[in-house]
């Protein structure tokens, strides 16, 4: 009787042991979910403001005969000192995204196993392969000034009057240098001659003695150009140069409002906010009232374990942006600003592997929740 019981026990073990081995092998092949204790670090994105600026340099060069302008031509208040000033002609506002150093978190447990990150370390999804293209992070700060292109004009050589004259018997025929006053008088004479020739040319045209219309136009244009060039010897000339700049500004939720975005210097054009040689250009943010409060109120959870997984998302804010200089508005825009919103923990129920959650890479807001 005992031998029969012993035989039954042996047969039972032979049946159970292989099945247990097969089950263990199956678990090893399929993998067993374990709890991650170290966690996965990630960041939420923040919104940066990129200002695209076009500025024009206005450079004035006084004429060498400026002091004689009123005496010889009756032109009053001719400038005698050089000057440079920069004027902002256009400002455009765009946004970009980058990891927020004030919103770096660590996901634990199921959250760490299921989390997927973007190339910049920001959260991209939970139990999801988010294929949405990441916003380009713009790293430029300023497009450098291009060197001036010389147009070949120089006051030093703009004259048909010789700089020296041949001497005579009174100075033993030694060359004598022509004075500035003499050269100014000669330039004034040429201006008056150009004006008189324009009058004579117009009179011939009226009398019908200048049949070739094209030749008349060319001759008149050349006389006007000559007059203009010689006048610059007295009133000076102004040249213009356009430059493009790009300034990045990262608004903070607690920053002073308005703040200095950049400065503009008469010598160097657009310079960083830290360069006190320039006058400030201000940027101001007016958030949509009540939006953050409504987000915060509805994001509260009754679950005592809310946030224990360490997975968070953003509910971004919205703001009106204004860029101004010396009380004049240069540009305005209405943009979504991630850091002006509210950060909330992802519900723990969405981290059990039964749901797929995707995030907007630019703001960290939830894009979709899909039950698998």
């Amino acid at each position: 009787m005992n031998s029969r019981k012993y035989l039954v026990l042996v047969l039972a073990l032979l049946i159970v042991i292989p099945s247990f081995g097969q089950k263990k092998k199956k678990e090893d092949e399929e993998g067993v979910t374990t709890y991650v204790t170290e966690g996965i670090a990630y960041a939420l994105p923040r919104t940066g403001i990129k200002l695209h600026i076009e500025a024009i340099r206005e450079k004035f060069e006084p004429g060498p005969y400026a002091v004689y302008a009123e005496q010889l031509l009756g032109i009053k208040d001719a400038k005698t000192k050089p000057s440079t000033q920069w004027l902002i002609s256009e400002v455009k506002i765009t946004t970009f995204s980058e990891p927020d150093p004030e919103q770096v978190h660590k996901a634990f447990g199921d959250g760490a196993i299921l989390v997927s990150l973007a190339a910049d370390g920001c959260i991209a999804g939970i139990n999801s392969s988010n294929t949405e293209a990441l916003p380009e992070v713009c790293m430029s700060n300023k497009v450098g000034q291009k060197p001036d292109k010389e147009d070949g004009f120089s006051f030093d050589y703009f004259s048909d009057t010789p700089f020296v004259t041949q001497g005579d018997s009174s100075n033993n025929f030694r060359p004598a240098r022509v004075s500035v006053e003499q050269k100014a008088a000669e330039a004034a004479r040429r201006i008056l001659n150009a004006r008189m020739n324009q009058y004579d040319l117009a009179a011939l045209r009226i009398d019908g003695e200048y049949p070739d219309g094209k030749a008349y136009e060319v001759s008149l244009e050349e006389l006007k150009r000559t007059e203009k060039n010689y006048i610059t010897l007295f009133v000076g000339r102004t040249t213009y140069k356009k430059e493009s700049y790009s300034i990045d500004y990262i608004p903070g939720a607690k920053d002073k409002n308005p703040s200095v975005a950049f400065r503009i210097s008469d010598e160097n054009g657009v310079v960083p906010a830290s360069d006190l040689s320039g006058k400030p250009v201000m940027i101001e943010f007016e958030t949509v009232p009540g939006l953050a409060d409504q987000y915060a109120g509805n994001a509260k959870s009754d679950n005592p374990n809310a946030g224990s997984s360490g997975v968070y998302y953003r509910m971004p804010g919205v703001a009106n942006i204004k860029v101004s200089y010396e009380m004049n508005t240069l540009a305005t825009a209405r943009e979504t600003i991630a850091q002006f919103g509210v950060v909330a923990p992802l519900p723990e129920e969405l981290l059990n592997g039964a749901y797929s959650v995707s995030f907007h890479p630019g703001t960290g807001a939830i894009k979709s929740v899909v039950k698998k």
Side-chain angles (χ1 to χ4, degrees):
M1 184 69 179
N2 291 333
S3 61
R4 183 178 296 178
K5 290 181 178 180
Y6 179 77
L7 181 59
V8 172
L9 179 61
V10 172
L11 292 174
L13 289 174
L14 292 175
I15 295 173
V16 172
I17 290 175
S19 64
F20 176 78
Q22 291 176 359
K23 180 179 180 182
K24 184 68 171 65
K25 183 179 179 181
K26 184 176 181 181
E27 288 180 349
D28 291 340
E29 291 175 351
E30 294 180 355
V32 178
T33 301
T34 58
Y35 189 83
V36 179
T37 58
E38 290 299 325
I40 301 296
Y42 68 93
L44 293 177
R46 66 179 179 181
T47 304
I49 306 300
K50 181 169 284 293
L51 301 175
H52 304 272
I53 307 152
E54 281 193 356
I56 297 175
R57 187 197 67 182
E58 183 179 293
K59 183 178 180 180
F60 173 75
E61 185 180 1
Y65 308 148
V67 294
Y68 304 105
E70 184 174 4
Q71 175 186 346
L72 298 177
L73 296 174
I75 301 174
K76 297 181 179 181
D77 302 322
K79 297 180 181 179
T80 57
K81 294 182 179 181
S83 63
T84 303
Q85 65 173 338
W86 285 84
L87 304 173
I88 299 176
S89 59
E90 185 178 22
V91 175
K92 293 181 180 180
I93 300 174
T94 59
T95 61
F96 63 92
S97 172
E98 68 178 19
D100 189 344
E102 296 184 0
Q103 290 295 332
V104 177
H105 303 278
K106 202 169 190 178
F108 295 94
D110 292 340
I113 295 173
L114 301 175
V115 69
S116 59
L117 305 181
D120 59 359
C122 288
I123 191 167
I126 297 293
N127 198 20
S128 167
S129 56
N130 193 351
T131 58
E132 182 175 349
L134 293 174
E136 181 181 357
V137 179
C138 303
M139 301 303 294
S140 62
N141 202 25
K142 175 184 174 182
V143 178
Q145 296 182 18
K146 299 176 182 178
D148 290 345
K149 292 183 178 180
E150 298 294 338
D151 58 6
F153 186 92
S154 174
F155 283 129
D156 294 336
Y157 304 104
F158 182 71
S159 176
D160 291 339
T161 304
F163 292 94
V164 294
T165 58
Q166 293 181 352
D168 52 28
S169 58
S170 63
N171 65 351
N172 294 325
F173 299 96
R174 288 180 299 181
R177 187 174 183 83
V178 179
S179 68
V180 175
E181 185 175 3
Q182 288 176 301
K183 292 178 71 63
E186 176 62 20
R189 185 182 66 81
R190 291 181 180 277
I191 292 172
L192 297 177
N193 286 340
R195 291 176 178 174
M196 184 60 66
N197 289 336
Q198 291 178 61
Y199 170 78
D200 292 341
L201 194 61
L204 290 173
R205 180 70 171 174
I206 294 174
D207 294 340
E209 298 182 14
Y210 214 109
D212 189 346
K214 185 63 177 179
Y216 167 79
E217 293 177 4
V218 172
S219 300
L220 186 61
E221 190 65 29
E222 182 63 22
L223 288 171
K224 289 181 179 179
R225 188 186 66 82
T226 301
E227 178 190 359
K228 180 180 177 180
N229 287 340
Y230 272 99
I231 285 180
T232 61
L233 293 169
F234 295 88
V235 300
R237 72 173 192 143
T238 301
T239 56
Y240 300 90
K241 176 187 178 184
K242 181 181 287 187
E243 289 288 350
S244 297
Y245 300 83
S246 181
I247 295 291
D248 293 345
Y249 181 84
I250 308 296
K254 298 181 181 179
D255 286 355
K256 183 180 178 181
N257 197 23
S259 302
V260 179
F262 62 93
R263 296 176 184 270
I264 183 163
S265 165
D266 284 341
E267 292 296 326
N268 301 315
V270 174
V271 295
S274 58
D275 190 339
L276 301 182
S277 67
K279 297 179 180 179
V281 177
M282 310 302 293
I283 187 168
E284 184 176 355
F285 298 87
E286 181 184 7
T287 58
V288 174
L291 182 60
D293 293 337
Q294 290 290 335
Y295 277 156
N298 286 283
K300 291 180 179 179
S301 176
D302 296 331
N303 185 354
N305 296 322
S308 61
S309 64
V311 180
Y312 294 86
Y313 67 99
R314 277 197 191 271
M315 291 173 282
V318 178
N320 295 312
I321 308 172
K322 181 173 73 172
V323 180
S324 59
Y325 176 65
E326 293 185 336
M327 306 302 291
N328 297 316
T329 300
L330 301 178
T332 59
R334 187 179 179 93
E335 298 286 353
T336 298
I337 309 294
Q339 57 268 37
F340 286 175
V342 174
V343 175
L346 192 71
E348 299 295 322
E349 293 82 357
L350 299 179
L351 298 172
N352 58 11
Y355 296 89
S356 173
V357 183
S358 296
F359 297 88
H360 286 283
T363 62
I366 294 177
K367 180 180 179 181
S368 65
V369 178
V370 179
K371 187 173 182 179
K372 288 200 170 184

